[in-house]
Amino acid sequence: MGKLTKERGSKIREEHSGILEKEICDRHNLQQIGGSRTKIDGSDGESNKSIKNASGSSTQVHLTTQKHFIESFDMNEKCVEFIRLFCGNKDMNNNGRDRFTIKQIESSIVDSFSSFLNLNKEKIIDLIIRNGFDITHVIFNDIINKKEYEIKYEEIIEKISECEWKFLNGGIHLKNSDGKTYFHFQREGKRNPSSRYNVLWHIHKNLFV
């Protein structure tokens, strides 16, 4: 099968977002909705479910621009600076790199963003899971092992209540007491400069098992 690259993983997820995603909706007695303008992939009129197709242990759950993410919250200047430095931009030159790692960012800026994450944990999860839509369940579709996992939104909120944010060099992970990651934040990092510097959130299978 070969190594599962980001490009191949993206292609696999794309293939599962149409006809094969409808098969999931049919199994759950849902009407398929989907599309880029909603977070709801299937609904039965009462339950609104978001389907996340994963080719690995995690998959994209929310992608947005730096500007939109910043404007979604009441961030102070240091938090805004953290986003700018961590996600980077095409004009940035940090010894030949277009971003700063967490270890390279001034500690007071990192501490400010850490406080923001702790104060807004539920709001952040609400944004990346729901984004204004009444999502009641999330389905994690492991397309390599052909297995589905499902969790209620209320259970997600309950699970993250005791979780802590952990700052790693390339990303920020929301981990439980056993060190299992439920969500993580990174920059998009694609070669195309139009999307390279976006804010990217992943959801992990650990949340469902």
Side-chain angles (χ1 to χ4, degrees), residues 24-208:
I24 298 176
C25 289
D26 290 343
R27 285 198 294 274
H28 290 258
N29 298 313
L30 305 172
Q31 178 183 351
Q32 186 180 22
I33 299 175
S36 60
R37 295 187 177 184
T38 180
K39 283 275 193 177
I40 302 171
D41 294 305
S43 176
D44 61 9
E46 293 184 3
S47 298
N48 299 317
K49 303 190 179 185
S50 173
I51 301 170
K52 309 314 297 180
N53 297 302
S55 55
S57 61
S58 71
T59 190
Q60 176 181 312
V61 68
H62 189 70
L63 176 66
T64 188
T65 63
Q66 294 182 40
K67 182 176 185 292
H68 187 269
F69 184 70
I70 290 167
E71 290 176 349
S72 297
F73 299 95
D74 184 21
M75 290 190 188
N76 62 34
E77 291 183 2
K78 286 190 174 181
C79 288
V80 172
E81 182 68 357
F82 179 90
I83 295 290
R84 188 186 75 84
L85 294 173
F86 181 68
C87 293
N89 62 65
K90 63 182 178 61
D91 299 317
M92 189 173 288
N93 186 354
N94 175 30
N95 293 321
R97 301 189 66 189
D98 57 1
R99 66 172 296 192
F100 285 72
T101 64
I102 290 174
K103 289 181 178 179
Q104 294 172 327
I105 299 174
E106 183 182 324
S107 61
S108 65
I109 293 175
V110 175
D111 290 345
S112 183
F113 194 70
S114 177
S115 295
F116 160 78
L117 292 174
N118 288 323
L119 289 171
N120 293 279
K121 189 192 300 181
E122 284 192 22
K123 290 182 180 179
I124 291 169
I125 301 305
D126 182 76
L127 173 72
I128 66 178
I129 295 285
R130 288 177 152 178
N131 196 22
F133 296 93
D134 185 23
I135 298 293
T136 60
H137 299 71
V138 179
I139 297 171
F140 188 96
N141 180 31
D142 181 342
I143 57 185
I144 300 299
N145 297 306
K146 297 182 179 179
K147 189 170 182 179
E148 296 170 21
Y149 305 84
E150 183 174 328
I151 191 171
K152 293 181 180 179
Y153 180 76
E154 289 79 5
E155 292 176 311
I156 295 175
I157 297 304
E158 183 179 348
K159 278 193 164 189
I160 66 166
S161 63
E162 301 300 323
C163 289
E164 295 184 355
W165 299 100
K166 300 295 183 181
F167 283 67
L168 307 179
N169 216 27
I172 303 170
H173 291 235
L174 186 61
K175 291 178 175 284
N176 68 8
S177 58
D178 294 323
K180 303 287 188 180
T181 297
Y182 288 163
F183 297 91
H184 83 258
F185 157 51
Q186 65 181 66
R187 78 162 184 175
E188 187 172 8
K190 291 184 177 178
R191 292 183 180 180
N192 187 342
S194 67
S195 58
R196 181 172 174 80
Y197 308 104
N198 287 336
V199 171
L200 174 62
W201 289 87
H202 267 227
I203 189 169
H204 286 245
K205 186 164 69 174
N206 292 326
L207 178 67
F208 298 80

